[in-house]
């Protein structure tokens, strides 16, 4: 199962893409335009993007370039134009593959699987069975972790600060749980990307964006950290506040 972002403005096509990808077992989100897509990719990076080129707000090729400025997520472009030059231009602009409309759900699923296999050799689908540092945080049946006033229950996926629930996104939770499993150790952003996101190629800023959301939810900021400390030039560590 992969998390797939469908970017398509036509509601009928969008619904049909979502249905056929969901049927294949993927977790599908959608955006109706280019800026919506960029927002989704920044907030919660998907495993792959299916990008329509005829979008209402930005030209699809420009959207593709903007996505590439943010991330190396595999992008499958859906184009109405069956034009060699156009397709070559898109592949050069960073598309991983393309589909010419109209295409069947089966064709989409097969292209997507191929792109995921090529781009995410260790991810997409297989349960993370390794123990220790290899598995996703919280996947190993660990017991709750208590760090000062912070309590993280990996099984229930609940975080409490001073007895109050803290609402986190899936990624924020995974990031916090991972840092908590390494309390007191500085962890590099690269390691966080490869172990929490399982995408070592993502921009390290992705980690910073999520860290800053986490800090806000934990009532702290980078200038006055309590739990989440940035060690300049090295990485991040979670500590028990004195
Ligand atoms: Ca369109």
């Amino acid at each position: 199962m992969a998390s797939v972002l469908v970017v398509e403005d036509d509601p009928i096509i969008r619904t049909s893409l979502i249905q056929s990808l969901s049927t294949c077992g993927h977790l599908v989100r959608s955006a109706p335009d280019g800026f919506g897509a960029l927002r989704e990719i920044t907030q919660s990076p998907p495993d792959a993007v299916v990008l329509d080129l005829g979008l209402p707000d930005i030209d699809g090729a420009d959207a593709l370039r903007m996505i590439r400025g943010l991330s190396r997520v595999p992008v499958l472009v859906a184009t109405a134009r069956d034009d060699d030059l156009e397709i070559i231009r898109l592949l050069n602009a960073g598309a991983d593959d393309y589909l010419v409309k109209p295409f069947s759900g089966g064709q989409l699923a097969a292209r997507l699987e191929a792109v995921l296999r090529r781009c995410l050799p260790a991810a997409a689908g297989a349960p993370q069975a390794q123990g220790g540092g290899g598995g996703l945080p919280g996947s190993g049946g660990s017991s709750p972790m208590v760090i000062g006033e912070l309590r993280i229950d990996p099984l229930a996926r609940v975080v409490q600060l001073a007895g109050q629930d803290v609402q986190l996104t899936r990624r924020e939770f995974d990031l916090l749980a991972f840092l908590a499993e390494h309390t007191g150790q500085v962890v590099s952003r690269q390691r966080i990307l490869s172990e929490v996101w399982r995408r070592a190629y993502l921009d390290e800023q992705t980690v910073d964006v999520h860290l800053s959301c986490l800090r806000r939810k934990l009532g702290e900021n980078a200038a006055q950290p309590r739990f989440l400390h940035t060690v300049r030039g090295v990485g991040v560590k979670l500590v028990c506040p004195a």
Side-chain angles (χ1 to χ4, degrees):
M1 183 187 75
S3 119
V4 182
L5 175 65
V6 167
V7 188
E8 170 63 68
D9 58 316
D10 183 318
I12 297 173
I13 301 180
R14 190 168 64 229
T15 305
S16 112
L17 292 178
I18 292 172
Q19 272 173 359
S20 68
L21 291 171
S22 306
T23 309
C24 298
H26 297 304
L27 201 64
V28 190
R29 285 179 291 147
S30 68
D33 52 38
F35 286 114
L38 294 169
R39 202 163 38 241
E40 287 283 335
I41 291 168
T42 312
Q43 284 173 357
S44 175
D47 296 321
V49 176
V50 178
L51 176 68
D52 171 40
L53 287 180
L55 294 172
D57 56 347
I58 11 177
D59 173 65
D62 289 337
L64 178 60
R65 271 187 286 275
M66 291 165 86
I67 291 173
R68 279 290 164 263
L70 285 174
S71 135
R72 293 185 56 195
V73 62
V75 177
L76 195 57
V77 163
T79 170
R81 294 166 271 194
D82 184 8
D83 168 345
D84 266 1
L85 282 179
E86 173 67 7
I87 288 165
I88 291 167
R89 192 172 75 92
L90 291 169
L91 293 171
N92 285 337
D96 293 275
D97 201 354
Y98 67 95
L99 288 156
V100 177
K101 291 181 179 179
F103 49 84
S104 67
Q107 197 185 354
L108 168 64
R111 292 286 182 105
L112 186 67
E113 289 303 333
V115 161
L116 286 168
R117 259 199 316 274
R118 273 205 308 275
C119 301
L120 312 171
Q128 283 94 21
Q130 310 96 306
L136 267 188
S139 63
S142 14
S143 45
M145 296 174 274
V146 177
I147 302 123
E149 291 183 323
L150 188 62
R151 184 177 186 278
I152 303 163
D153 184 339
L155 281 185
R157 295 184 71 83
V158 169
V159 171
Q160 290 181 320
L161 181 62
Q164 301 289 312
D165 282 2
V166 182
Q167 301 300 326
L168 299 182
T169 65
R170 181 172 67 98
R171 211 59 101 170
E172 288 163 1
F173 182 91
D174 289 342
L175 173 59
L176 182 63
F178 180 76
L179 291 171
E181 283 170 8
H182 300 85
T183 298
Q185 300 171 19
V186 184
V187 188
S188 72
R189 289 173 179 76
Q190 203 56 47
R191 181 164 171 215
I192 293 172
L193 285 174
S194 61
E195 298 198 24
V196 177
W197 269 261
R198 302 202 151 255
R199 312 280 179 270
Y201 54 70
L202 285 177
D203 194 308
E204 294 186 359
Q205 276 188 348
T206 306
V207 175
D208 292 320
V209 169
H210 284 76
L211 266 180
S212 108
C213 295
L214 255 183
R215 283 193 169 116
R216 190 166 38 79
K217 291 181 180 180
L218 297 179
E220 60 179 66
N221 59 56
Q224 288 174 306
R226 290 177 65 216
F227 294 98
L228 297 166
H229 293 249
T230 299
V231 181
R232 203 174 289 275
V234 188
V236 187
K237 70 176 170 182
L238 189 147
V239 300
C240 183

